[in-house]
Amino acid sequence: MLKDNFGRVHDYLRISLTDVCNFRCQYCIPDENASFMPSSNLMSVEEIDTIAREFVKMGVKKIRLTGGEPLVRKDAEKILLALSKYPIELTLTTNGLRTNEFIPIFKKAGIKSINVSLDTLDNDKFFSITKRNVFEKVWSNIQQLIDQEFHVKINTVIMRGVNDDEILDFIEWTKNQPVHVRFIEFMPFKGNQWHTQKVFTYQEILDVAASKYSFIRMKDTLNETAKKFKPLDYKGTFAVISTMSAPFCSNCNRMRLTADGKMKNCLFSKGEADILTALRNSEDIVPLIQQCLATKAESLGGQFEGDYKKIDATKIVNRSMINIGG
């Protein structure tokens, strides 16, 4: 069992397969000419499998594959199938552009739930945010996932003045389809042009929702990050991930592995443990994993707390979101 110094059991590992993405979302990787890690720096299929196996031995029960965009890796199928042999819940977060190609593989790997990142329901705005004219393709692929009875969660980063005017549209989507929209507060990372004024808070999102809908608060599950709500008589749900205005660190069970094999014990942690180099040097990686978790701060990587409006994003020491993994 993996425990930190605050008694929190950690049984959820997020593995980034690549820092490459086929979108250029403004809050994640706004530079069209961005450089990426050389392939030699990335974990191979066998290395991902070996590291995952050690985490599973230590009690990990859920693994989520992220990126960048995890499905742009040429060996994504091999990775999915390799990890599917473990007694875990296997899932992934994707931008949805290639999911139609992977549906048979998802089923073979036992994947039942998929998160799709989608920040707008407007075709023109989609292009403005992602710099890619593929909204209809992504929309069609989401519909295929729903039709194939996957549990589909929609991750929507709400940014003031960008897409906060679409909150009601996203909730309305849940009326006739069993989609589960998760509004995410805009978070600060290296190079993502974060500012306190762009944060549209949990309470503001609820106020907008309440202006049109009646809904009930759903019961939180253990280690839940999303505060979930059910509009009355709707097939789907909506939720808010309130990292900035109402953090949920006290019950955190998450660990992250970057595409180049560095372990982060928190999304906002300064430090990292170089698991991949140790593995390539034939060293025992278990003590490294345990030591990394032992240094986990009580909240938000120890970098900020309290009023998010007082955060100076220029002083946060971290990777960019694309280098961490979603």
Side-chain angles (χ1 to χ4, degrees):
M1 182 181 293
L2 284 164
K3 275 189 177 182
D4 68 4
N5 290 336
F6 301 93
R8 296 174 292 199
V9 175
H10 286 65
D11 57 7
Y12 180 6
L13 176 65
R14 303 171 71 102
I15 303 176
S16 175
L17 302 188
T18 179
D19 66 336
V20 174
C21 187
N22 40 15
F23 288 1
R24 292 293 180 270
C25 296
Q26 59 184 260
Y27 59 84
C28 186
I29 179 172
D31 183 3
E32 187 67 61
N33 299 310
S35 59
F36 302 104
M37 300 177 192
S39 58
S40 60
N41 287 18
L42 301 180
M43 296 180 289
S44 68
V45 176
E46 293 74 18
E47 288 166 339
I48 291 171
D49 187 21
T50 299
I51 295 171
R53 182 170 63 247
E54 293 302 322
F55 273 98
V56 172
K57 285 180 182 178
M58 289 185 282
V60 163
K61 298 176 182 176
K62 180 176 180 178
I63 292 179
R64 176 178 298 280
L65 302 181
T66 69
E69 169 49 45
L71 300 182
V72 300
R73 267 192 69 149
K74 294 179 180 179
D75 51 9
E77 176 180 353
K78 291 181 180 179
I79 296 168
L80 286 164
L81 296 179
L83 298 181
S84 70
K85 65 180 178 286
Y86 297 114
I88 57 168
E89 177 188 349
L90 181 62
T91 183
L92 76 155
T93 297
T94 172
N95 61 28
L97 187 59
R98 297 191 63 196
T99 54
N100 61 305
E101 304 168 39
F102 282 83
I103 285 176
I105 299 159
F106 294 157
K107 291 187 174 183
K108 188 175 181 180
I111 291 175
K112 296 178 173 61
S113 178
I114 295 174
N115 287 30
V116 181
S117 299
L118 182 69
D119 298 317
T120 179
L121 298 174
D122 179 84
N123 186 52
D124 292 337
K125 193 182 293 185
F126 183 93
F127 178 78
S128 175
I129 292 174
T130 68
K131 303 299 186 289
R132 299 293 185 266
N133 189 23
V134 291
F135 173 78
E136 294 298 336
K137 174 68 171 175
V138 171
W139 179 259
S140 174
N141 285 350
I142 292 172
Q143 298 305 312
Q144 286 189 50
L145 290 172
I146 295 170
D147 291 342
Q148 292 293 321
E149 299 185 343
F150 288 94
H151 184 84
V152 178
K153 298 178 183 178
I154 304 297
N155 288 353
T156 304
V157 177
I158 295 295
M159 296 164 283
R160 190 182 306 277
V162 176
N163 60 350
D164 55 299
D165 59 338
E166 293 190 69
I167 290 171
L168 296 179
D169 295 331
F170 273 101
I171 296 175
E172 187 62 22
W173 182 11
T174 71
K175 180 177 182 179
N176 297 314
Q177 290 194 303
V179 290
H180 305 277
V181 177
R182 295 142 58 89
F183 299 117
I184 302 172
E185 291 182 346
F186 187 32
M187 293 177 278
F189 296 98
K190 181 180 177 181
N192 75 338
Q193 302 169 25
W194 182 89
H195 193 278
T196 59
Q197 294 177 352
K198 292 183 179 179
V199 177
F200 203 83
T201 67
Y202 165 49
Q203 188 57 56
E204 289 176 302
I205 292 169
L206 282 192
D207 290 344
V208 171
S211 71
K212 182 175 180 180
Y213 298 104
S214 297
F215 49 85
I216 57 172
R217 173 75 184 266
M218 299 173 68
K219 184 178 180 180
D220 292 336
T221 57
L222 185 65
N223 308 122
E224 186 63 73
T225 60
K227 299 170 178 65
K228 297 181 292 187
F229 301 88
K230 176 76 173 175
L232 302 181
D233 300 321
Y234 276 34
K235 290 185 177 181
T237 64
F238 74 93
V240 183
I241 298 178
S242 57
T243 307
M244 304 311 300
S245 67
F248 34 80
C249 301
S250 61
N251 65 343
C252 182
N253 68 333
R254 290 156 178 77
M255 302 168 287
R256 284 177 161 78
L257 197 63
T258 64
D260 57 345
K262 307 298 194 301
M263 178 181 170
K264 288 178 67 69
N265 57 33
C266 172
L267 184 60
F268 297 105
S269 65
K270 293 181 183 179
E272 303 173 344
D274 192 349
I275 305 298
L276 181 57
T277 296
L279 181 67
R280 289 179 176 177
N281 290 336
S282 300
E283 299 172 17
D284 184 0
I285 64 173
V286 171
L288 269 180
I289 293 170
Q290 294 170 329
Q291 182 181 8
C292 181
L293 192 57
T295 63
K296 183 165 183 168
E298 186 172 9
S299 64
L300 300 168
Q303 297 217 57
F304 52 90
E305 59 183 349
D307 188 356
Y308 74 91
K309 295 179 182 178
K310 297 179 181 178
I311 295 173
D312 182 350
T314 63
K315 294 182 179 179
I316 294 176
V317 179
N318 206 353
R319 297 187 183 213
S320 64
M321 189 60 177
I322 195 77
N323 289 137
I324 297 171

